[in-house]
Amino acid sequence: MSIYHTETFDFIVVGGGMAGVCAAVAAARRGLSTCLVHERPVLGGVASSEMRVTVHGAACHHAYGRETGIIHEILEAERAINHEPVNENGWTNSMFDLVLYDLVQRTPGLTLHLNTVVTEVIMDDDGAPAAVAPDTEAGYYTRAACASSRRIAGVRARTLSAEVEMELRASLFADCTGDAMVADRAGCAWRMGSESREETGEVHAPEGASTETMGNSIHIRARDMGRPCPFTLPSWAQEYTDASFFYEQGRVPHDPRGGYWWIEIGVPWHTIHDNETIRHELTRHALGVWDWMKNHDPKMKEVCATYALDFIGQVPGKRESRRVIGRHWLNENELQARTAFPDEICHGGWFVDLHTPGGLLAPTSEPASAEGYRADSEYAAKSYVGPYGIPLRSLMAQDVDNLFMAGRCLSATRAALGTVRVMATTSLMGQAVGTAAPHALQHGIPHLAEDAAAGGPLMHEIQQRLLRDGVFLPHIRNDDAADLARSAQVSASSTALLHGIGSSRQHDEAGLLHGSGPAQALTDEPAQLIAVDGGPLERVGLYLENRSEQTRTVALSLTAMENFYDYSSAGTASLAEGSVEVPPGRHWLWWDCALSSTSRGYARLRCGTCEDVFWLRSGNRLSEHASQRRISPSRLRSQHFTLAFRCHPAQDVWPAAAVCSGRTRPGIGPECWRSDSGAGLPAWLELRWQKAQRCAQVEITFPGQLRHEVHAEPPFYACADIARDYRIQALDGDDWQDVLIIRDNQQRRRIHQLPQTVTTQALRVVIETTGGAPQAAISEIRCYAD
């Protein structure tokens, strides 16, 4: 006999993937009694050890594009304790699950129900949605709104392993199920499949509408046993014997340890209703892929000889299914234009990644893979997008007034889904929903949506809260009137100057080891970003290599940039044009650009195309700097490395005042303070007010590791570009008194509630040791009276 009970909350989140976890944690931190319901035994959804898809996001394609906020806390904690590298899909282990479970358990006000399936949505009139079946008249699946009421009252759920049935009631809900199960059962309108180019005007929309979707995947993992390990393909599995299927169609099995996102199947099956059939088919084909690698592949057979299959997933990870109609229908054109939405609540920057329907059953793999991930192809150029903002209204259901969505079931076209669907981005959506939840609870989603569309006071408060909680908003800066630091005079013990960067091998600012790497051919038309301080820039130097036997002439240009993410070839203004003569061999070459003044920000130093000439990479990756390369006649794309350059005179681009710029990553310049490494440590940064201020809380953000995705961070990673040991001091008369002493910090962002409120005219942060960087650095300081 089952046990039945009722629980009541302010906010219920259904779906414990990355979006759901972040939504629930954010809401609970904002004071709402919150319940997280998840059908699986572990949190994380597609990122969990059951499915093992690694968390991707904007930093894969944009240097310093890393997602921050709760998702950064999660990945930072996971890297600190996990012995396993983050390589590719199939590698995730249970330590990832544990980090999520630990976060949820440590969050006050958050109730978790695992192994619990929502079976019914209860509307506040106790009615059931009208029996409206989806149709395909538009060419794709569409289901019209059929809700019996505009409010959800609760959900019924069952914990199968415990024979417990429950009714969970709340005033507010979030559908983070991926398949939009709650929205569907509540009667919301939705779509599934692809709109046509005629309907949406999107470059990635197909000529004709279609019910086809991207497929589901499972992953494999193998381990080297140090001795021959035979493998026999089961009789029911799929056998592969054609090398062209792999090597000519974008399915290259390059790693004996497994992974392979392209083990994917969807069409001809329905990714929701035929999920079990797809799981079986994926198992057949995954075993066939391993058999090909072990027993047939002329390139991999010997490499795989000592490897044994260790894991094969049995819970397919989904890329696409229902998309709920919301209060803003997000499309690709808005993301390509990097529209500044009035209700921007997070960012994205993955490319428009629309896999070929059918996956393994299709003629080729995903288009970028099928063409070998060429950086300058027509497909790469049209798919490169971001960093862009995402509006809150796309996370609000249109047909039910107390329902948010976060994750791949958001309100968006299929083409837009291609870029926003990756998990680092959906995690940010979840945090945004959880942060907006108290306002929705107080004012209602309809009113909040109107305010959001107008960029009103509620939306401003939500955006400022997200910034304070560490989220990056491309078009929004901190203007929190309660932040005392914004009215302070800022000074420091020393300030770093920019001289340039050489080409020797060393650790970068975040503690990641890099060599000088291959030089970049000038046929790529590479460019290096150089932060400038507004003063003169008389000369710039480049380290070039001419591999021919004749002197070559290389055209050079300097352009002003709108910000760090300006990829337009023209920039905002042409600053200088010229050339250098490059003799055979490697040389430091100086160009007299003769600029008497610049505008504070970034300038782009770019080489014109030239055969046989290469620009050497720097061994170190200079903080808050990156390079770019041509992707089309009018656009460039970001590169994570820096190219060897010098500048004269040295540029003062890391001033103390940058900690109050309102931004915590490169934008209009580096936007952080760095001490002079030659002055050594300790180093201090000071806030001083004209009148004494009452201060109870100090919030510090260090630069951390935002250049790369988490995949670049090794096991047990601790970032070098943070303060490890530091003190917060208050001025008492003429003496500095320790208010708080912090030891062995490993986090990028710290919130310090002072032991007792202090009233002082000045505060200092004294950095004694870092995580390994030779200089102290702070991106932001905030101070609050309570």
Side-chain angles (χ1 to χ4, degrees):
M1 180 177 179
S2 297
I3 298 173
Y4 190 89
H5 66 273
T6 300
E7 299 175 9
T8 302
F9 304 91
D10 294 325
F11 185 43
I12 292 175
V13 179
V14 182
M18 299 306 295
V21 168
C22 292
V25 169
R29 287 179 175 178
R30 302 307 307 142
L32 299 190
S33 62
T34 303
C35 179
L36 177 59
V37 185
H38 189 48
E39 65 181 1
R40 305 301 307 172
V42 293
L43 296 166
V46 177
S48 74
S49 64
E50 287 192 312
M51 303 186 210
R52 302 193 179 190
V53 177
T54 52
V55 176
H56 276 298
C60 183
H61 304 282
H62 306 275
Y64 292 96
R66 182 82 174 264
E67 293 75 13
T68 46
I70 293 172
I71 181 58
H72 194 274
E73 293 177 40
I74 291 168
L75 298 179
E76 188 177 57
E78 186 272 340
R79 285 292 79 200
I81 67 168
N82 204 335
H83 66 276
E84 189 78 273
V86 181
N87 182 51
E88 242 303 339
N89 299 332
W91 283 57
T92 308
N93 64 15
S94 293
M95 298 309 295
F96 187 92
D97 307 336
L98 179 61
V99 166
L100 297 179
Y101 191 73
D102 173 67
L103 174 63
V104 169
Q105 293 300 323
R106 287 188 292 105
T107 301
L110 177 53
T111 298
L112 174 64
H113 288 297
L114 289 175
N115 296 301
T116 301
V117 179
V118 170
T119 58
E120 183 182 350
V121 174
I122 307 166
M123 306 305 289
D124 70 352
D125 63 353
D126 290 325
V132 177
D135 65 61
T136 58
E137 291 182 9
Y140 45 82
Y141 294 110
T142 180
R143 208 279 299 273
C146 54
S148 65
S149 166
R150 293 200 63 88
R151 293 187 63 83
I152 299 172
V155 296
R156 291 192 175 94
R158 180 179 298 121
T159 306
L160 295 175
S161 59
E163 296 186 6
V164 170
E165 297 186 9
M166 63 190 83
E167 187 172 300
L168 305 173
R169 290 189 165 263
S171 300
L172 194 64
F173 297 81
D175 187 335
C176 301
T177 62
D179 285 338
M181 187 277 292
V182 175
D184 174 65
R185 304 302 190 273
C188 293
W190 53 259
R191 292 181 181 181
M192 182 172 169
S194 185
E195 299 87 353
S196 70
R197 190 172 305 167
E198 180 180 7
E199 178 182 353
T200 67
E202 298 165 307
V203 66
H204 280 87
E207 290 295 335
S210 171
T211 59
E212 295 180 340
T213 63
M214 291 179 280
N216 304 348
S217 285
I218 63 174
H219 301 292
I220 59 176
R221 176 71 197 276
R223 294 189 183 274
D224 189 353
M225 306 306 294
R227 58 183 175 81
C229 299
F231 174 79
T232 301
L233 183 69
S235 60
W236 48 268
Q238 174 69 42
E239 183 177 13
Y240 286 102
T241 58
D242 182 3
S244 66
F245 176 84
F246 296 96
Y247 290 101
E248 297 177 16
Q249 299 178 20
R251 306 181 183 97
V252 179
H254 61 281
D255 192 334
R257 298 166 296 183
Y260 308 133
W261 55 264
W262 44 259
I263 301 177
E264 172 186 0
I265 291 177
V267 174
W269 294 286
H270 191 286
T271 56
I272 298 176
H273 304 311
D274 296 325
N275 192 44
E276 269 300 288
T277 299
I278 292 174
R279 179 200 58 76
H280 175 67
E281 289 299 316
L282 283 168
T283 303
R284 293 179 62 244
H285 285 265
L287 290 170
V289 169
W290 180 243
D291 174 66
W292 164 259
M293 294 169 63
K294 284 282 292 182
N295 298 324
H296 306 288
D297 190 336
K299 296 183 178 181
M300 294 297 294
K301 185 166 59 173
E302 290 189 15
V303 177
C304 294
T306 60
Y307 280 80
L309 196 61
D310 182 67
F311 168 84
I312 179 165
Q314 288 297 286
V315 182
K318 295 180 183 178
R319 293 177 175 87
E320 179 183 4
S321 54
R322 302 183 185 103
R323 293 169 281 116
V324 181
I325 306 298
R327 299 180 188 245
H328 179 86
W329 188 244
L330 187 64
N331 68 56
E332 180 194 356
N333 296 332
E334 293 171 312
L335 303 180
Q336 292 280 8
R338 293 197 275 192
T339 302
F341 296 105
D343 53 339
E344 178 175 283
I345 41 73
C346 66
H347 83 284
W350 189 255
F351 75 111
V352 182
D353 184 10
L354 294 167
H355 290 208
T356 307
L360 290 172
L361 307 183
T364 67
S365 180
E366 181 272 327
S369 177
E371 66 179 20
Y373 294 109
R374 287 179 50 203
D376 59 351
S377 71
E378 180 181 351
Y379 182 82
K382 77 175 186 178
S383 302
Y384 191 70
V385 61
Y388 51 75
I390 296 173
L392 180 62
R393 286 165 294 152
S394 287
L395 309 181
M396 299 171 165
Q398 175 178 275
D399 303 311
V400 173
D401 289 339
N402 63 338
L403 179 63
F404 285 109
M405 308 87 67
R408 58 184 171 83
C409 58
L410 85 162
S411 177
T413 64
R414 180 176 185 263
L417 179 71
T419 170
V420 303
R421 65 182 176 82
V422 291
M423 285 182 286
T425 308
T426 61
S427 298
L428 295 177
M429 295 180 201
Q431 182 166 355
V433 162
T435 302
H439 298 272
L441 198 64
Q442 181 178 356
H443 301 283
I445 283 181
H447 178 72
L448 181 57
E450 292 179 4
D451 182 89
L458 296 178
M459 195 63 241
H460 178 263
E461 187 175 341
I462 291 168
Q463 289 170 328
Q464 290 299 310
R465 184 73 239 183
L466 286 166
L467 289 175
R468 185 174 176 182
D469 291 340
V471 174
F472 168 57
L473 302 179
H475 299 95
I476 309 293
R477 288 179 180 263
N478 171 31
D479 64 5
D480 187 353
D483 178 8
L484 302 172
R486 295 179 62 244
S487 62
Q489 183 73 30
V490 189
S491 60
S493 56
S494 67
T495 301
L497 297 177
L498 173 65
H499 297 271
I501 186 73
S503 61
S504 60
R505 175 180 169 88
Q506 51 190 304
H507 286 82
D508 72 5
E509 77 280 357
L512 303 176
L513 183 63
H514 303 282
S516 57
Q520 184 156 26
L522 295 199
T523 51
D524 293 341
E525 297 183 40
Q528 174 58 47
L529 277 58
I530 303 175
V532 291
D533 60 15
L537 181 62
E538 299 170 2
R539 298 194 301 160
V540 292
L542 307 83
Y543 194 29
L544 301 181
E545 179 181 10
N546 180 353
R547 297 179 183 174
S548 76
E549 296 180 357
Q550 293 82 34
T551 296
R552 302 287 194 185
T553 301
V554 173
L556 300 176
S557 64
L558 270 171
T559 55
M561 299 175 64
E562 181 181 2
N563 56 46
F564 186 82
Y565 299 115
D566 183 350
Y567 299 133
S568 65
S569 296
T572 57
S574 174
L575 300 177
E577 294 184 353
S579 64
V580 292
E581 298 296 310
V582 188
R586 292 185 176 185
H587 307 275
W588 274 104
L589 300 167
W590 286 93
W591 173 39
D592 294 324
C593 51
L595 297 176
S596 59
S597 66
T598 56
S599 296
R600 178 176 286 275
Y602 285 102
R604 180 193 293 131
L605 173 61
R606 187 177 183 186
C607 288
T609 185
C610 186
E611 295 288 341
D612 301 320
V613 181
F614 297 78
W615 194 345
L616 275 75
R617 297 187 188 186
S618 61
N620 195 357
R621 303 192 178 188
L622 182 65
S623 304
E624 290 81 48
H625 285 72
S627 60
Q628 298 179 347
R629 61 153 295 164
R630 179 188 187 275
I631 193 172
S632 74
S634 61
R635 295 180 70 209
L636 296 92
R637 65 171 296 156
S638 178
Q639 300 182 134
H640 293 81
F641 55 85
T642 44
L643 297 163
F645 77 95
R646 294 173 178 168
C647 57
H648 179 80
Q651 302 292 299
D652 182 11
V653 295
W654 289 290
V659 300
C660 295
S661 73
R663 187 176 172 115
T664 60
R665 68 181 69 202
I668 310 299
E671 312 229 28
C672 78
W673 164 70
R674 291 188 178 276
S675 71
D676 180 2
S677 59
L681 297 173
W684 53 259
L685 187 131
E686 179 181 304
L687 303 176
R688 186 176 291 266
W689 295 273
Q690 291 184 347
K691 297 180 180 179
Q693 302 290 324
R694 179 177 175 272
C695 184
Q697 185 162 296
V698 177
E699 302 177 5
I700 306 175
T701 301
F702 303 107
Q705 196 289 97
L706 302 186
R707 183 192 298 268
H708 302 275
E709 289 191 293
V710 68
H711 300 65
E713 298 172 0
F716 305 117
Y717 174 70
C719 182
D721 206 15
I722 60 169
R724 179 65 59 88
D725 301 313
Y726 58 100
R727 300 168 183 263
I728 298 175
Q729 296 180 329
L731 185 64
D732 183 5
D734 294 327
D735 298 321
W736 290 98
Q737 302 293 328
D738 287 340
V739 177
L740 199 61
I741 300 174
I742 297 89
R743 293 288 179 257
D744 199 30
N745 171 57
Q746 296 188 27
Q747 297 175 331
R748 174 179 179 264
R749 182 172 164 272
R750 294 297 304 269
I751 300 173
H752 296 299
Q753 189 73 38
L754 302 184
Q756 58 185 30
T757 299
V758 297
T759 300
T760 183
Q761 197 169 346
L763 283 175
R764 272 186 181 177
V765 177
V766 181
I767 297 177
E768 298 168 338
T769 66
T770 68
Q775 61 189 173
I778 297 176
S779 293
E780 182 178 71
I781 294 182
R782 294 173 177 240
C783 300
Y784 293 92
D786 50 35

